[in-house]
Amino acid sequence: MQATARALCEHGYSRLRVRDIDEYFGKSRQLINHYYDGKDDLIEAVLKYLLEEYERGIAVGDDVDPEQQLHSYIQEFFYGPDIEDFDHWAFVTALIELRSQAHHYPRHQELLMENYLHLRGILVAIIETGIQEGDFREVDADMFANAILAVISTSRMRKVCLDDDEAVENGRQILDAIILPQLFREPDRD
């Protein structure tokens, strides 16, 4: 999986060949062909792997208050979880590469949409809990979750596709200065 993801980052989806994956794999190409029915089958397996690793990596415990949970998730979305032997930005690059081709592959679209809905669901649950506990204002949790993910997604795309090193910090500033203050309650003043 990691060999395919690395080859995908280097060659891009449209130019990726099984022999390119083989260079990173270090084992027989026949072994790849034995388990997968071609490049598309292998790419689907890699996409599942990347999404599962990412979802597992961003998990934050329920033992912290909703505001801390939200900040932790945002931090993980922006800067990435620690996935063994895999660089976060290589991971993001591979996902963006796969997303850019998803309109040709309905199964890839399905997997990416499931992942998006899962991540959005996590944010919605945190926001709704924060509202119930009185930490957050009464807001449309779904709209805020969508806004947070849109800023993060755009920032990561700018960093990867445009080599904009300030994109992630700009996105974080947008969340901290514009979106999150609309969510958090003002502290009680004595």
Side-chain angles (χ1 to χ4, degrees):
M1 296 297 120
Q2 291 179 8
T4 304
R6 285 188 174 96
L8 180 64
C9 291
E10 183 172 326
H11 298 282
Y13 189 89
S14 61
R15 293 189 341 245
L16 182 66
R17 299 169 302 177
V18 174
R19 93 177 73 176
D20 299 321
I21 298 164
D22 188 44
E23 290 176 24
Y24 290 94
F25 187 47
K27 294 187 173 60
S28 168
R29 187 177 324 153
Q30 286 72 30
L31 189 58
I32 296 172
N33 292 329
H34 175 75
Y35 287 102
Y36 300 100
D37 294 329
K39 179 177 101 170
D40 293 335
D41 189 39
L42 177 56
I43 293 296
E44 182 178 326
V46 168
L47 180 58
K48 285 180 189 176
Y49 165 77
L50 291 173
L51 296 175
E52 287 170 2
E53 287 297 305
Y54 190 72
E55 288 176 11
R56 188 176 13 265
I58 63 166
V60 174
D62 293 333
D63 57 339
V64 295
D65 67 60
E67 186 172 342
Q68 289 174 307
Q69 265 192 327
L70 185 59
H71 282 297
S72 292
Y73 270 106
I74 289 170
Q75 183 74 11
E76 294 296 319
F77 287 150
F78 268 128
Y79 301 103
D82 291 327
I83 298 175
E84 184 178 330
D85 298 328
F86 204 76
D87 172 76
H88 171 68
W89 290 109
F91 166 83
V92 172
T93 301
L95 275 181
I96 289 172
E97 189 67 38
L98 292 170
R99 283 183 181 131
S100 74
Q101 297 297 316
H103 63 286
H104 296 296
Y105 303 96
R107 180 65 181 137
H108 296 185
Q109 284 181 325
E110 183 182 321
L111 291 169
L112 289 164
M113 183 56 83
E114 286 173 11
N115 174 257
Y116 174 78
L117 294 173
H118 174 76
L119 297 177
R120 188 181 72 191
I122 290 169
L123 290 174
V124 167
I126 292 170
I127 293 167
E128 287 175 344
T129 299
I131 292 168
Q132 290 169 358
E133 293 181 6
D135 296 332
F136 299 161
R137 293 182 176 135
E138 293 281 334
V139 299
D140 182 330
D142 195 52
M143 184 186 339
F144 269 81
N146 281 325
I148 290 167
L149 288 174
V151 169
I152 292 168
S153 179
T154 300
S155 300
R156 293 184 341 172
M157 283 189 52
R158 278 180 40 211
K159 173 154 178 49
V160 169
C161 299
L162 304 177
D163 200 24
D164 181 353
D165 289 332
E166 296 177 10
V168 172
E169 228 16 77
N170 292 158
R172 187 64 210 226
Q173 289 170 355
I174 290 168
L175 288 179
D176 290 341
I178 299 170
I179 295 175
L180 296 180
Q182 301 301 313
L183 179 62
F184 300 141
R185 287 200 177 277
E186 290 291 324
D188 292 332
R189 304 197 191 272
D190 292 356

